[in-house]
Amino acid sequence: MKKKLYSIPMAIACLGFAGLPAQGAKHSVAEFDPKEAESLGWRVVDDGVMGGLSKGNLKVSKDGVLNFKGKLSLENNGGFSSLRTEKLSMDLGDAEGLVARVKGDGRTYQIRFSTDARFRGMEVSFMAEFPTTKGKWTEVKIPFDDFTGSFRGMKLKDQKFNPAKISRLGLLLGDKKAGPFELQVDWIRTYGAKESGSKDVVALALADGRFKVLATALTEAKLVKVLQGKGPFTVFAPTDEAFAKLPKGTVESLLKPENREKLQAILKYHVVPGAVDLSGALKAGSAKTVLGEPVKIAFSKGKVRVNDASLVDADIEASNGVIHVIDSVILPPEPKKDLASVAKRAGKFKTLLAAIEAAGLSDALAGDSPLTILAPTDEAFKALPKGTVESLLKPENRNKLREILMLHAVNGKVSAGDALNAGSAKALNGDKLGFTIDKGLFKVNGATILKTDISCDNGVIHVIDKVLLPAEKSEACESCTSCEQTAMAPADRIQAAIDKGVPIFNRGDHAKCAEIYEACLVELAKDEQMDSSVRQAMGSLIERIRKIEDATERAWMFRQGLDHIHAAVSR
């Protein structure tokens, strides 16, 4: 008879059962990732509400660990410090108790719940104590039967704790010992789910006993809560023996925090969205995993195989999916390193990739011909005037979009050093790109290069902070009169003039650059929206600079004027 496994929500990234005792299904009560902690509304409540002087502090780390520390004072009849969530609705009625991973200072703490129970119309608190070991992570188990009711320090023996009606969660220190304290909590989960056929994928796996390493991996990858979701999920679960087949030291290395991303990728490769039974999997022949890469499922040499792993148990049903047991860990293919794949994994070029697809240029990023891409971030696209991106993505503006995108690409693999040494490069649209160091910043046509030399198999990516505009499309910015006609703000007009002038200056036409900067200053000096004193100062500045005969110096002086005004109007 096949054993059933628990279910776990899934952000669909990896299986997650880490370090949990294999005595029953577990549901997450609190994992303490920053977003979850914010949604629960954890806050400190000290004995100051009763006149005491104790002081506690709360912090949740990026790695998902709650830190509760402070100083307990017995003065003014005080002596407690606590944390509590805002009101919530939680049903833990199908479990036997809690298990928590904690590291403390050797003191005894309390975990507290509020339910719908009332005493004299007021909220009753149910508490149970748990010990800590100084400086050591331990798992403490707290049966729900240990929780007793109280109200403002008065024990209420007649009140019964109902874990199906939880309305608040809290932690408290009140051992009447003055001095500093510190408690860290990695997670709080339930144990001992009732045999009602409602175990999720994770709980079932934990109860099975063959997946201790998998459970630990899921915990370290912060994926347990994901797999406890609604799903459904199909999990190809490697046994402990399967992990033992990996080269010596591999598991230990993967469990290190610095390798979490790699661990998550491997675990995600073992999870398929949807509940797929064995017959359905064999019929399909393959399935796309949460990682995005497919696994092959076929009958070969007398066994059902998932890639090169053999299936040893199948169709273990869970409340949120199904588990198939395999005898080897399946490793995902090495991630693609073409320009498109690298940009997609970075996560900050979504608008750029959408524009490339709309322009019909996606094949170029995945092709064999090397390219250098100047990649504006999503924030760079957001800085464009409202509606610009939406307009460019329309089919009727495809040629204009292609022209802009091709300005951001250069044939060949051009490193940052080569670009700076050359000073310029020809973009695919035919325009010249000017590379300079300006006030310590690496610039290309006025845009700052935020990150350089992201190497790809078919090119290199340099990240920039603004979208470049083709020269022929920027003629309107030659004078700020046309900028006024487009209702640009003063700071935007200045930036447009600089963007136009920089490549012209870099091409050696310093006089033309000076004319562009001067025209912008002149129009700004006429703008009645500008402060009158600033306009007057600009007028005097223009007259002084016009007297400079050297075009290079004149361009630089006009540029300095624009920079000062830009700083002033941007405050």
Side-chain angles (χ1 to χ4, degrees):
M1 187 172 176
K2 295 176 182 175
K3 298 177 182 178
K4 294 185 178 180
L5 298 183
Y6 279 81
S7 76
I8 283 187
M10 158 159 217
I12 282 199
C14 297
L15 330 178
F17 348 140
L20 310 180
Q23 9 186 203
K26 298 189 179 184
H27 259 294
S28 171
V29 175
E31 297 294 322
F32 298 108
D33 64 80
K35 287 186 179 179
E36 177 210 72
E38 184 178 357
S39 68
L40 290 177
W42 286 95
R43 59 190 175 92
V44 176
V45 179
D46 292 320
D47 55 18
V49 297
M50 308 294 290
L53 301 176
S54 299
K55 184 67 176 176
N57 293 288
L58 158 69
K59 184 178 181 181
V60 176
S61 72
K62 292 181 180 179
D63 290 332
V65 175
L66 171 76
N67 188 284
F68 174 38
K69 65 185 298 185
K71 186 176 182 180
L72 212 63
S73 171
L74 304 184
E75 296 183 37
N76 292 353
N77 296 316
F80 78 86
S81 182
S82 70
L83 303 178
R84 66 176 63 170
T85 65
E86 297 295 341
K87 287 283 187 177
L88 49 80
S89 178
M90 187 180 292
D91 181 359
L92 304 180
D94 65 347
E96 295 177 16
L98 299 178
V99 60
R101 185 169 186 258
V102 301
K103 182 166 73 172
D105 45 16
R107 301 173 77 160
T108 297
Y109 291 78
Q110 298 175 14
I111 187 162
R112 292 187 166 232
F113 285 117
S114 297
T115 67
D116 58 356
R118 293 292 182 269
F119 178 73
R120 297 175 183 172
M122 303 292 285
E123 188 176 272
V124 174
S125 180
F126 292 89
M127 59 79 65
E129 295 183 334
F130 63 90
T132 64
T133 302
K134 186 174 182 179
K136 183 179 179 181
W137 283 105
T138 59
E139 290 183 17
V140 293
K141 188 177 178 183
I142 311 168
F144 284 146
D145 289 343
D146 287 359
F147 283 81
T148 58
S150 66
F151 177 73
R152 295 181 180 175
M154 179 172 54
K155 293 184 178 180
L156 303 175
K157 295 182 179 180
D158 295 333
Q159 292 286 348
K160 300 298 182 184
F161 176 52
N162 183 359
K165 298 287 186 179
I166 293 171
S167 60
R168 195 191 302 275
L169 169 64
L171 296 164
L172 182 142
L173 175 64
D175 59 2
K176 297 299 181 182
K177 297 177 182 178
F181 66 88
E182 181 172 8
L183 172 70
Q184 295 182 67
V185 186
D186 191 7
W187 43 255
I188 302 173
R189 298 167 184 162
T190 61
Y191 72 86
K194 297 172 184 176
E195 295 296 333
S196 59
S198 63
K199 292 181 180 179
D200 61 29
V201 172
V202 173
L204 284 174
L206 289 171
D208 188 287
R210 291 178 286 176
F211 309 106
K212 295 176 184 177
V213 179
L214 177 60
T216 300
L218 289 170
T219 298
E220 294 303 319
K222 301 292 183 182
L223 292 170
V224 171
K225 193 173 181 181
V226 170
L227 288 180
Q228 287 174 332
K230 291 182 179 180
F233 315 117
T234 297
V235 177
F236 295 102
T239 62
D240 292 340
E241 289 76 14
F243 279 98
K245 292 180 182 179
L246 294 173
K248 187 178 180 180
T250 300
V251 173
E252 293 78 5
S253 177
L254 287 171
L255 293 177
K256 293 179 179 179
E258 60 266 30
N259 294 326
R260 181 174 295 163
E261 187 175 334
K262 186 174 182 179
L263 176 61
Q264 288 179 342
I266 293 173
L267 293 175
K268 289 179 182 181
Y269 194 52
H270 290 75
V271 179
V272 173
V276 184
D277 61 16
L278 179 57
S279 62
L282 284 169
K283 185 177 180 180
S286 66
K288 188 175 182 179
T289 66
V290 171
L291 184 64
E293 298 290 342
V295 291
K296 294 180 180 180
I297 305 159
F299 191 80
S300 174
K301 297 180 181 179
K303 294 182 179 180
V304 176
R305 299 185 182 274
V306 182
N307 286 0
D308 293 327
S310 296
L311 202 69
V312 298
D313 202 351
D315 294 339
I316 302 173
E317 294 181 1
S319 63
N320 65 341
V322 61
I323 293 175
H324 304 302
V325 184
I326 55 178
D327 70 349
S328 300
V329 178
I330 53 176
L331 299 177
E334 286 295 319
K336 295 179 181 178
K337 286 201 67 178
D338 59 84
L339 291 161
S341 298
V342 171
K344 185 176 181 180
R345 284 197 298 274
K348 55 186 175 183
F349 304 113
K350 295 176 183 177
T351 307
L352 174 62
L353 291 171
I356 289 170
E357 184 176 353
L361 298 172
S362 298
D363 289 347
L365 292 190
D368 295 330
S369 299
L371 290 173
T372 297
I373 303 296
L374 302 168
T377 62
D378 292 334
E379 291 299 317
F381 278 98
K382 285 181 182 178
L384 292 172
K386 187 176 180 180
T388 300
V389 174
E390 293 78 3
S391 176
L392 287 171
L393 293 177
K394 292 179 179 179
E396 59 267 29
N397 293 325
R398 187 177 186 183
N399 289 338
K400 184 176 182 180
L401 177 60
R402 288 173 65 95
E403 183 76 9
I404 292 172
L405 293 173
M406 290 170 71
L407 177 60
H408 294 77
V410 176
N411 273 321
K413 206 168 184 177
V414 183
S415 69
D418 290 342
L420 189 58
N421 288 335
S424 65
K426 187 177 181 180
L428 292 185
N429 75 331
D431 280 4
K432 185 176 287 188
L433 296 165
F435 295 91
T436 60
I437 297 294
D438 186 8
K439 297 181 180 178
L441 298 175
F442 191 12
K443 297 271 190 176
V444 55
N445 284 25
T448 299
I449 302 179
L450 303 173
K451 188 173 182 179
T452 64
D453 297 325
I454 301 174
S455 182
C456 306
D457 289 340
N458 60 341
V460 63
I461 297 173
H462 306 301
V463 183
I464 59 177
D465 71 345
K466 66 181 301 182
V467 179
L468 306 178
L469 297 177
E472 58 268 32
K473 305 299 181 185
S474 305
E475 291 301 323
C477 292
E478 178 112 356
S479 76
C480 284
T481 302
S482 48
C483 288
E484 277 189 321
Q485 292 170 353
T486 58
M488 293 174 69
D492 293 332
R493 299 187 213 173
I494 294 170
Q495 191 61 58
I498 292 172
D499 290 347
K500 177 64 180 176
V502 166
I504 292 174
F505 185 92
N506 290 337
R507 289 198 295 265
D509 195 345
H510 298 177
K512 182 66 174 177
C513 176
E515 290 175 10
I516 293 170
Y517 292 165
E518 179 184 357
C520 187
L521 282 168
V522 169
E523 293 300 327
L524 287 171
K526 296 177 182 178
D527 188 350
E528 295 183 356
Q529 296 182 36
M530 299 283 291
D531 183 88
S532 59
S533 60
V534 175
R535 292 165 54 203
Q536 185 176 359
M538 279 193 287
S540 300
L541 177 68
I542 293 167
E543 290 303 316
R544 288 200 305 273
I545 298 175
R546 281 175 174 169
K547 296 177 182 178
I548 299 174
E549 294 184 2
D550 183 78
T552 302
E553 185 180 358
R554 192 164 64 251
W556 273 113
M557 291 301 293
F558 277 129
R559 171 63 187 273
Q560 288 179 24
L562 288 173
D563 287 343
H564 284 303
I565 297 166
H566 188 280
V569 299
S570 298
R571 288 172 189 158

